[in-house]
């Protein structure tokens, strides 16, 4: 509701965090169920929803009744009555704990690979740079992240060919064993 008290708690939420509907109804959501380090940011998301500004894909930790930390992806939407007046916030959460663990494992695998691995976003800016690439090229991850791979790190005589390979990869065409 508009005072931050839980007034809807479905079966999925109960299964996920271990608290029954009776245990949460009327209690302060942020103060009682959100970890201290995220209370302010979660409260900001809820306050925005109470002002009519929805938030999508907000990630935060939530502790279960058993003390297990879950990673939750939250969409917060303004809740209105039949007259259109704001009466609270509807929070739709998704447990992304498994996905986060997989992403961390994937990152560790890439970073510890014995081959240089780099990645670029759809604008050609570096977004992956593993430790082997650091050792081979000499630039730290911090130095290359967000920089244009082709413009900043490829010699002029190879830029067009490398850019062509990247463009094809971004279009879904795989290139293997490209040497430059």
């Amino acid at each position: 509701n508009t005072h931050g008290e839980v007034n809807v708690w479905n079966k999925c939420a109960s299964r996920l965090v271990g608290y029954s509907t009776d245990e949460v109804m009327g209690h302060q959501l942020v103060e009682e169920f959100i970890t201290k380090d995220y209370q302010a940011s979660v409260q900001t998301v809820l306050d925005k929803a109470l002002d009519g500004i929805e938030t999508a894909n907000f990630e935060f930790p939530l502790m279960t009744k058993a003390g297990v930390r879950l990673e939750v992806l939250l969409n917060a939407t303004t809740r209105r009555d039949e007259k259109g007046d704001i009466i609270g916030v509807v929070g739709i959460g998704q447990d992304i704990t498994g996905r986060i663990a997989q992403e961390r494992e994937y990152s560790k695998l890439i970073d510890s690979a014995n081959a240089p691995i780099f990645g670029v976003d759809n604008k050609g800016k570096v977004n992956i740079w593993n430790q082997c690439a650091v050792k081979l090229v000499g630039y730290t991850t911090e130095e290359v992240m967000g920089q244009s791979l082709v413009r900043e790190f490829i010699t002029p005589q190879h830029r067009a060919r490398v850019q062509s390979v990247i463009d094809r990869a971004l279009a879904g065409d795989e290139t293997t064993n490209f040497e430059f």
Side-chain angles (χ1 to χ4, degrees), residues 11-149:
K11 290 178 185 177
C12 186
S14 292
R15 277 193 309 274
L16 186 64
V17 296
Y19 291 104
S20 69
T21 302
D22 292 338
E23 291 174 295
V24 298
M25 292 299 278
H27 289 265
Q28 292 292 317
L29 176 69
V30 173
E31 293 172 18
E32 298 181 47
F33 301 102
I34 306 299
T35 60
K36 294 276 184 218
D37 54 334
Y38 274 83
Q39 285 181 350
S41 57
V42 170
Q43 187 63 56
T44 297
V45 167
L46 298 179
D47 289 344
K48 285 182 178 179
L50 288 171
D51 288 336
I53 303 166
E54 299 178 0
T55 299
N57 302 324
F58 176 75
E59 294 182 25
F60 70 98
L62 184 66
M63 298 303 288
T64 68
K65 187 175 181 178
V68 175
R69 180 181 167 128
L70 299 177
E71 299 296 329
V72 175
L73 185 67
L74 174 71
N75 292 315
T77 304
T78 305
R79 185 173 179 202
R80 298 177 185 273
D81 64 15
E82 64 280 349
K83 293 182 272 179
D85 296 327
I86 296 173
I87 59 171
V89 175
V90 175
I92 302 171
Q94 177 183 358
D95 180 6
I96 58 170
T97 308
R99 187 193 86 196
I100 297 288
Q102 285 177 333
E103 287 173 359
R104 287 182 183 141
E105 201 57 38
Y106 174 71
S107 290
K108 278 192 234 173
L109 180 67
I110 286 175
D111 204 44
S112 63
N114 63 0
I117 298 175
F118 65 87
V120 296
D121 62 17
N122 60 2
K123 294 180 181 166
K125 300 202 181 282
V126 177
N127 58 10
I128 296 172
W129 191 261
N130 76 349
Q131 290 304 305
C132 192
V134 169
K135 290 174 190 165
L136 180 70
V137 180
Y139 290 105
T140 67
T141 302
E142 293 77 20
E143 290 174 305
V144 299
M145 293 301 274
Q147 299 295 318
S148 170
L149 177 72

